[in-house]
Amino acid sequence: MQVPKIRGCALSWWLVAALMVCQLKLSEASDCSATAVAKDGSRDARDCDEVDPHDVLRGFATKKVKGKTEKVPAIHPNFDYIKGSRWLWNNWREVEFTPEGNFVAPAENCDQPGNAACKWTATEDSLIVHFGGAGTHTLHVDDRSMTGVRDSDGDAVSAVRV
């Protein structure tokens, strides 16, 4: 039997089996729930079928719309004022941060909302832009300007609100 590897580390067969059993048990549980506790002490309880831990790690949350669960970028409330705004990116062209978490820009196939490679999310103190083939950018924002870097090579990026 071939042993799975995660980033160069071999997993023991018993660990893989244990994880599979736990996943099976969780998927069978009908009364399963999870509670997220924020730094401010607020709590958000959800049913397990609403939470995909892989999506959380990728910067997505889930929300129910008319009984249907859909993935949406997780945008921290500190950045609600960015939703629907337009910015001049690197003194080049205007980009838009849609309320749904789409990043719309005239390059890298980001010219129409809905491209999964063109999204924005926000943590408590950083804005993260997935700019298609240009990669992920991490920015710090004040009311009218953003500064940061492209994560892959440290190339500087800036934007001003228009």
Side-chain angles (χ1 to χ4, degrees), residues 61-125:
T62 56
K63 87 175 174 185
K64 286 206 173 189
V65 178
K66 297 180 183 175
K68 178 182 161 191
T69 301
E70 60 183 50
K71 285 189 233 180
V72 295
I75 299 168
H76 193 278
N78 288 353
F79 290 90
D80 280 349
Y81 71 97
I82 301 293
K83 294 177 179 178
S85 64
R86 299 181 73 82
W87 297 73
L88 180 62
W89 189 267
N90 277 343
N91 292 316
W92 167 65
R93 303 275 293 274
E94 287 185 19
V95 299
E96 180 183 0
F97 295 86
T98 72
E100 303 79 25
N102 292 300
F103 178 72
V104 182
E108 301 295 333
N109 292 322
C110 295
D111 54 338
Q112 295 293 319
N115 183 342
C118 304
K119 300 285 184 186
W120 73 280
T121 64
T123 64
E124 187 174 357
D125 58 358

